[in-house]
Amino acid sequence: MGANLRKESGPREVFCGLTSIVWLHRRMPDAFFLVVGSRTCAHLIQSAAGVMIFAEPRFGTAILNERDLAGLADAHDELDRVARELLARRPEIRTLFLVGSCPSEVIKLDLARAAERLNEELQGRVRVLNYSGSGIETTFTEGEDGALSALVPFLPSTEKRQLLLAGTLADAVEDRLVHLFARLGIETVCSLPPRQSTELPGVGPGTTVLLTQPFLSNTARLLKERGAKVLSSPFPLGAEGSRRWMETACRDFNLPGDRVAAVLDPLEERARIALEPHRAELSGKRIVLLPESQLEIPLARFLQRECGMELVEVGTPYLNREQMAPELELLPEGTDVTEGQHVEQQLDRVRDQHPDLVVCGMGLANPLEAEGITTKWSIELVFSPIHGIDQAGDLAELFSRPLRRRQLIHPALHPQTSTPSIHA
Amino acid sequence: MQLTLWTYEGPPHVGAMRIAASMRGVHYVLHAPQGDTYADLLFTMIERRGQRPPVTYTTFQARDLGGDTAELVKRTVREAAERFRPDALLVGESCTAELIQDQPGALAQGMGLSMPVVTLELPAYSKKENWGAAETLYQLVRNLLKPQVPEQPQHDPKAWMAVGRRPRVNLIGPSLLGFRCRDDVLEIQRLLTVHGIDVGVVAPLGAQVSDIERIPQADLNVCLYPEIAESSCSWLQRNFGMPFTRTVPIGVSATHDFLVELHTLLGMDPPTAEEGYRSSRLPWYSESVDSTYLTGKRVFIFGDGSHALAAARICSEELGFKVVGLGTYSREMARSVRTAAKELGLEALISDDYLEVEAAMADAAPELVLGTQMERHSAKRLGIPCAVISTPMHVQDVPARNSPQMGWEGANVIFDAWVHPLMMGLEEHLIGMFRHDFEFVDGHQSHLGHRGGADPSAEDLRPSTVVMNPEEQGPVWTADGEAELKKIPFFVRGKVRRNTETYARQEGRMEISSETLYDAKAHYKA
């Protein structure tokens, strides 16, 4: 392993696991995510969801108030009431996720018991599940791991030989990958999460799992416990990662290497052409990835190997060494990988190093821009269709565009005589 | 437990962040888990600020809970004090920290720090953002000014005359993430300068600790945003005897009333009412012939207390609208909003449930909605034009240009912002005059086209609210009725259709012919 791994602790600037609701609810339109938490939780998902894009979202909050905490109201009765109210209002809901938050975890509100009780009451009309997205236990994308883990026990058993893609993908990307696997010779490909929460894929000894996202360690463990085989591979970001990821599956399905090459070679060649203009922009540029989504290490690998960028520091909110091993091996010797965060110290390093581009959370982006450092939002990478060989060019463009923009509007916006002003 | 899909206000510690971030040299240590840092993006993304709010989070995790979170608090306080060297330190907790009862304020007080430490106790499970902001400003003012409090409050707002200087007032309440506060401050400063009144301290926006300490040196306080400033202003009145103004200068008549109140308190001759007429374009634009179309336009208003009250007054007194709904999410201001609603013959809607507000809006069937970002959304769904008058807001409600709500220029801004979503008068007159020309049949919209170039017939496709019970057959439109309906300009057709159906139902008619349509028209005009 070539990377230089270190840990840091201190104040963090990372979303909590609740935030993953904002893409999960789009993936499964028949599911509803009910956060059992405080006004802060409600405010958080509202603010994180792009400040009200949707007229009536498929997520909400059961806000705990003084009565619940003082024991004046039985929190379980209250939760049942709120769930009934919600389901009466939204009869199309088929799966209800009760999502634990910091306050509900601290007061030890037993959501598993609540889910069990509601399931009994609802008699299969709606399936009620629970998981925790609390900020004291999870960061940003770990919420998806929690949600998928909650689904695993409900997956039907199957002996079928099949490939299961675990992790939320954009529909178009998923369709494309399924099509490519079919061309390679893997006919049965299913997904977790599915597009409808009721159409859960089966799992069993014939199931081979490819993780599409690097933040699903718990889900992977549970799938293993259900008899599935979870493959270890670089993640499907960039042409190289996507190819290795697909080849890993092909090996497991004993597909002939020449056939695999016949399908993938032209794709890789096309990706190389698509990447070319972005590589010209990005090559030699220095980048820092601040911890947020867990995608940082695979992205760093892509940006360094396929786009020629220099990795100044790669932050990650937490590191699952086993799962990330194939990625870490591909990083250049001595790459600084920081697990955890002390946001102030990390920003000090960013200022000292003055990289050309910083990938960071939404709270930090404009302040860094004001300091003259070009940024890219981490959250955009979770929302955009970036997986697969065909998306490599698009993925690179997400990084080249902010740099190109800076060139477009400078020096016009910075007359030589003036010092950059910071708009506070 | 309360089911919420969207909320109007954040938690109280976000209110505290608004005060800290508005000031210079104040730092806030917030005992909170990592997810609570989302609040930073309200400032950096919604307001597009180039600085992070001056907040250090303790970021406690589940594994810390078994151990010593108190030590984590102290370490964070020490680090923040050393790194940022603030003139004053606010210490508080968010909802989760409140449950673990570390009392970070008390811990920080015991650390012997060199700067004043203000402890914030903001009950997260019973209070909300604006309350948190008001309480934070109040605690800051009280703590910093305690040493100056006289034994007997003696303060003469007319003292400026005797000492031979210009009168001086403080502007209290403007903050970040408030609605156009920065622009309002500029406008009020300009207004006061014209009247020979100096502005002493503006707080919290842009103020330092030393500015807070100078507050008692002014003749009086202007309570610009009562939601945030009133508790501080009352404390200053009780302890220093400083009076404060009660009128919020939004709209022409309120600005005039504000100036009269201010001049009277300061012992100056109040300005004449003519000033507003001369200084703002709202009065003349409202009087001009093409504004006739505004007469009786039905408006639904919902927002924070101050802005909703101001909007109701402007609508009914200055623009000739008919207010058909008035409400607020600011429970602290429920009483005055109720009174204002009653004067307009309405029952105020006091609620923090946006679905209830949406239902009331649909029920009132207004032609214009003045609300928050949430009402903008509901109005869009209902196909009603909307202007945003209050927080919570969207990034688009933080304009780059100067766009005040207060004072004479604020009245100009309001005229444009509220009237433009409606079809402009001159345009409406022309369409009315030429409605029989082929150009004005279906498909020709206002240049503003709030229906966004959508198929104008889509309006007719919206489910008619008249069908309450699917079992029950509604009145049926005859071919002749439909033909007549088509002659009505598309932008009012939906309303005419609904009204006619309601009328037909009331009258027990099974068919709607052209005659029914005219009967209904006469009925509603009567």
Side-chain angles (χ1 to χ4, degrees):
Chain A
M1 213 176 285
N4 170 26
L5 307 180
R6 57 184 212 90
K7 262 193 181 183
E8 188 170 62
S9 70
R12 288 187 170 202
E13 181 87 26
V14 180
F15 278 145
C16 69
L18 293 181
T19 328
S20 51
I21 288 171
V22 302
W23 65 88
L24 287 169
H25 90 280
R26 289 166 73 191
R27 171 72 182 184
M28 290 178 281
D30 60 343
F32 195 98
F33 294 81
L34 180 64
V35 177
V36 183
S38 62
R39 177 165 298 281
T40 313
C41 307
H43 199 234
L44 154 76
I45 47 171
Q46 171 166 336
S47 311
V51 195
M52 304 170 205
I53 305 164
F54 313 106
E56 175 127 2
R58 282 181 303 274
F59 49 81
T61 309
I63 297 185
L64 296 161
N65 55 35
E66 268 185 325
R67 284 170 46 80
D68 302 300
L69 298 176
L72 293 172
D74 182 306
H76 281 273
D77 290 348
E78 286 289 290
L79 185 53
D80 290 0
R81 178 181 60 75
V82 166
R84 276 186 221 115
E85 194 181 312
L86 175 70
L87 294 171
R89 206 189 138 69
R90 304 294 292 272
E92 77 282 10
I93 300 303
R94 289 289 158 264
T95 303
L96 175 64
F97 288 92
L98 302 177
V99 190
S101 66
C102 300
S104 73
E105 295 294 319
V106 169
I107 65 169
K108 304 208 182 322
L109 191 57
D110 189 346
L111 294 186
R113 194 157 66 89
E116 206 173 298
R117 197 174 54 241
L118 283 163
N119 268 324
E120 220 159 275
E121 179 183 323
L122 296 163
Q123 305 257 344
R125 276 187 297 124
V126 179
R127 174 178 287 149
V128 185
L129 304 167
N130 76 287
Y131 71 93
S132 171
S134 89
I136 54 174
E137 290 161 317
T138 62
T139 75
F140 197 24
T141 47
E142 273 180 289
E144 176 167 339
D145 196 18
L148 299 192
S149 296
L151 284 171
V152 173
F154 295 90
L155 304 184
S157 293
T158 178
E159 299 289 318
K160 198 159 65 182
R161 181 75 183 120
Q162 61 172 6
L163 179 64
L164 174 65
L165 304 180
T168 300
L169 290 172
D171 287 356
V173 167
E174 185 189 68
D175 288 343
R176 177 72 181 152
L177 290 173
V178 170
H179 171 74
L180 287 177
F181 278 122
R183 274 175 56 190
L184 289 163
I186 303 175
E187 296 293 341
T188 311
V189 183
C190 47
S191 298
L192 182 70
R195 294 188 196 183
Q196 292 292 320
S197 67
T198 44
E199 292 165 10
L200 293 176
V203 66
T207 305
T208 293
V209 178
L210 260 186
L211 299 179
T212 66
Q213 305 280 14
F215 39 75
L216 298 171
S217 16
N218 210 31
T219 306
R221 184 178 55 77
L222 293 172
L223 288 170
K224 256 183 236 170
E225 284 170 15
R226 293 285 310 268
K229 177 177 180 187
V230 180
L231 302 179
S232 172
S233 159
F235 288 90
L237 299 172
E240 181 194 24
S242 302
R243 179 170 187 150
R244 285 173 183 250
W245 182 79
M246 296 185 94
E247 283 172 342
T248 306
C250 293
R251 271 196 300 279
D252 189 68
F253 279 79
N254 292 319
L255 300 177
D258 51 347
R259 176 170 176 189
V260 172
V263 174
L264 297 183
D265 284 349
L267 294 181
E268 199 176 7
E269 175 55 22
R270 197 167 61 195
R272 202 187 53 75
I273 295 166
L275 276 168
E276 206 45 58
H278 306 295
R279 191 183 160 88
E281 182 77 61
L282 295 169
S283 183
K285 298 273 171 36
R286 301 164 64 249
I287 187 168
V288 168
L289 296 105
L290 297 183
E292 177 103 286
S293 67
Q294 280 287 99
L295 289 166
E296 294 83 11
I297 291 172
L299 288 172
R301 180 260 301 154
F302 163 70
L303 291 168
Q304 195 270 330
R305 292 171 67 92
E306 296 183 55
C307 303
M309 292 191 88
E310 187 186 323
L311 305 175
V312 178
E313 180 176 337
V314 182
T316 181
Y318 63 97
L319 184 62
N320 181 334
R321 283 166 194 247
E322 188 192 349
Q323 197 164 288
M324 213 50 92
E327 289 285 359
L328 288 170
E329 272 166 25
L330 295 174
L331 290 181
E333 188 69 30
T335 302
D336 282 320
V337 175
T338 315
E339 181 184 7
Q341 186 174 41
H342 186 302
V343 67
E344 303 295 349
Q345 290 172 11
Q346 199 162 33
L347 288 176
D348 284 347
R349 295 197 295 276
V350 167
R351 291 180 189 114
D352 284 349
Q353 297 279 349
H354 205 94
D356 298 293
L357 187 64
V358 173
V359 179
C360 63
M362 292 168 95
L364 296 175
N366 269 337
L368 285 170
E369 293 276 353
E371 292 183 33
I373 294 170
T374 308
T375 60
K376 173 87 237 155
W377 286 346
S378 315
I379 195 166
E380 209 172 330
L381 297 155
V382 185
F383 279 104
S384 307
I386 57 173
H387 295 77
I389 302 182
D390 301 299
Q391 315 294 336
D394 293 350
L395 177 57
E397 193 190 353
L398 289 176
F399 299 92
S400 67
R401 187 184 294 169
L403 292 169
R404 195 157 54 85
R405 172 164 189 79
R406 200 154 267 255
Q407 287 161 8
L408 276 173
I409 62 177
H410 288 213
L413 293 183
H414 284 280
Q416 291 300 311
T417 48
S418 76
T419 48
S421 78
I422 292 169
H423 291 278
Chain B
M1 250 177 236
Q2 185 204 348
L3 175 63
T4 314
L5 290 99
W6 294 129
T7 71
Y8 286 100
E9 289 182 77
H13 72 259
V14 168
M17 284 178 69
R18 285 172 54 185
I19 303 301
S22 297
M23 293 182 65
R24 289 181 291 152
V26 172
H27 198 87
Y28 184 22
V29 171
L30 185 60
H31 195 20
Q34 67 179 343
D36 288 0
T37 55
Y38 83 87
D40 287 3
L41 73 87
L42 302 170
F43 299 89
T44 65
M45 298 312 309
I46 294 185
E47 281 209 323
R48 279 203 198 90
R49 272 177 45 99
Q51 281 172 8
R52 291 161 64 207
V55 182
T56 300
Y57 302 82
T58 57
T59 315
F60 61 86
Q61 292 177 278
R63 62 164 180 268
D64 298 322
L65 292 179
D68 197 355
T69 43
E71 192 46 51
L72 176 63
V73 171
K74 285 200 267 186
R75 191 165 70 231
T76 311
V77 167
R78 200 176 302 117
E79 263 191 49
E82 276 167 19
R83 177 177 277 267
F84 299 102
R85 305 190 177 281
D87 302 324
L89 191 70
L90 300 174
V91 180
E93 53 199 350
S94 78
C95 47
T96 309
E98 188 181 328
L99 296 173
I100 57 178
Q101 299 183 329
D102 281 328
Q103 298 185 305
L107 291 172
Q109 296 286 1
M111 289 173 63
L113 296 171
S114 57
M115 71 284 294
V117 175
V118 178
T119 298
L120 299 177
E121 300 212 5
L122 309 173
Y125 297 92
S126 56
K127 299 292 186 185
K128 290 182 280 190
E129 179 179 333
N130 279 331
W131 185 91
E135 176 68 10
T136 302
L137 182 62
Y138 163 71
Q139 291 297 349
L140 200 58
V141 165
R142 199 178 72 104
N143 274 273
L144 294 173
L145 287 175
K146 236 179 340 196
Q148 290 187 41
V149 170
E151 283 192 17
Q152 279 294 317
Q154 44 181 344
H155 186 97
D156 179 10
K158 302 181 179 77
W160 59 276
M161 292 190 220
V163 292
R165 60 166 170 82
R166 282 153 59 103
R168 184 191 303 142
V169 304
N170 302 316
L171 306 183
I172 311 293
S175 72
L176 294 180
L177 289 176
F179 196 74
R180 312 275 164 85
C181 289
R182 177 200 64 175
D183 305 344
D184 284 345
V185 166
L186 287 175
E187 187 56 25
I188 294 300
Q189 277 175 324
R190 203 172 71 163
L191 183 69
L192 297 182
T193 303
V194 168
H195 287 272
I197 301 167
D198 289 338
V199 172
V201 174
V202 178
L205 196 64
Q208 303 186 50
V209 166
S210 57
D211 293 323
I212 300 291
E213 289 165 351
R214 286 193 301 120
I215 284 178
Q217 292 170 21
D219 298 304
L220 58 79
N221 291 314
V222 170
C223 179
L224 267 191
Y225 301 93
E227 279 92 345
I228 287 173
E230 200 168 352
S231 47
S232 298
C233 289
S234 316
W235 184 84
L236 288 162
Q237 182 165 44
R238 282 197 310 279
N239 289 275
F240 287 85
M242 289 182 86
F244 65 94
T245 59
R246 312 277 169 155
T247 317
V248 177
I250 302 180
V252 173
S253 33
T255 301
H256 172 70
D257 290 353
F258 164 77
L259 286 173
V260 170
E261 186 186 8
L262 187 65
H263 281 72
T264 308
L265 285 170
L266 290 167
M268 303 166 79
D269 288 337
T272 62
E274 209 191 318
E275 181 184 323
Y277 194 89
R278 276 188 289 108
S279 310
S280 172
R281 292 190 189 90
L282 183 143
W284 164 241
Y285 276 30
S286 191
E287 280 179 348
S288 67
V289 65
D290 69 312
S291 287
T292 306
Y293 79 104
L294 296 176
T295 315
K297 282 268 195 251
R298 298 159 53 81
V299 183
F300 182 92
I301 300 167
F302 193 88
D304 67 26
S306 311
H307 288 92
L309 284 170
R313 182 170 178 187
I314 296 168
C315 285
S316 59
E317 295 177 11
E318 299 173 20
L319 297 172
F321 291 152
K322 181 172 171 55
V323 180
V324 294
L326 176 61
T328 182
Y329 59 82
S330 308
R331 280 185 199 273
E332 295 85 356
M333 292 184 74
R335 186 182 295 188
S336 36
V337 175
R338 280 205 182 93
T339 309
K342 207 164 179 189
E343 279 167 17
L344 293 164
L346 297 164
E347 171 121 24
L349 174 61
I350 312 296
S351 173
D352 60 358
D353 179 352
Y354 88 103
L355 294 170
E356 197 182 335
V357 179
E358 184 185 287
M361 185 194 299
D363 198 45
E367 288 153 288
L368 176 68
V369 171
L370 301 176
T372 73
Q373 173 63 13
M374 252 98 99
E375 282 66 49
R376 194 175 76 101
H377 215 101
S378 302
K380 200 161 146 194
R381 292 218 301 168
L382 295 167
I384 306 167
C386 177
V388 175
I389 60 162
S390 152
T391 54
M393 58 193 178
H394 190 268
V395 62
Q396 76 180 36
D397 301 312
V398 187
R401 68 178 181 278
N402 186 36
S403 185
Q405 301 289 288
M406 291 182 174
W408 307 134
E409 185 63 17
N412 295 341
V413 169
I414 282 173
F415 184 88
D416 288 346
W418 299 5
V419 166
H420 281 185
L422 296 165
M423 188 172 300
M424 288 297 288
L426 189 55
E427 190 183 25
E428 186 163 315
H429 273 298
L430 292 172
I431 291 177
M433 279 192 276
F434 298 109
R435 64 161 45 146
H436 299 295
D437 288 21
F438 68 90
E439 283 94 345
F440 290 99
V441 297
D442 289 355
H444 287 265
Q445 296 208 10
S446 156
H447 68 289
L448 288 157
H450 61 262
R451 298 202 51 86
D455 175 6
S457 63
E459 177 139 17
D460 290 340
L461 297 176
R462 273 190 296 143
S464 171
T465 48
V466 80
V467 187
M468 298 298 183
N469 184 352
E471 303 285 300
E472 198 185 330
Q473 277 296 328
V476 177
W477 287 81
T478 64
D480 152 64
E482 288 277 10
E484 200 63 33
L485 184 67
K486 283 234 165 70
K487 291 180 194 161
I488 291 162
F490 64 87
F491 46 88
V492 287
R493 196 181 298 149
K495 192 176 153 208
V496 170
R497 177 189 275 274
R498 285 198 299 280
N499 283 349
T500 309
E501 286 174 1
T502 309
Y503 171 79
R505 188 170 291 271
Q506 278 167 6
E507 297 290 302
R509 302 196 193 179
M510 297 313 291
E511 286 191 340
I512 302 175
S513 65
S514 58
E515 287 308 309
T516 323
L517 204 144
Y518 283 107
D519 285 346
K521 183 177 175 189
H523 172 80
Y524 285 108
K525 288 284 176 193

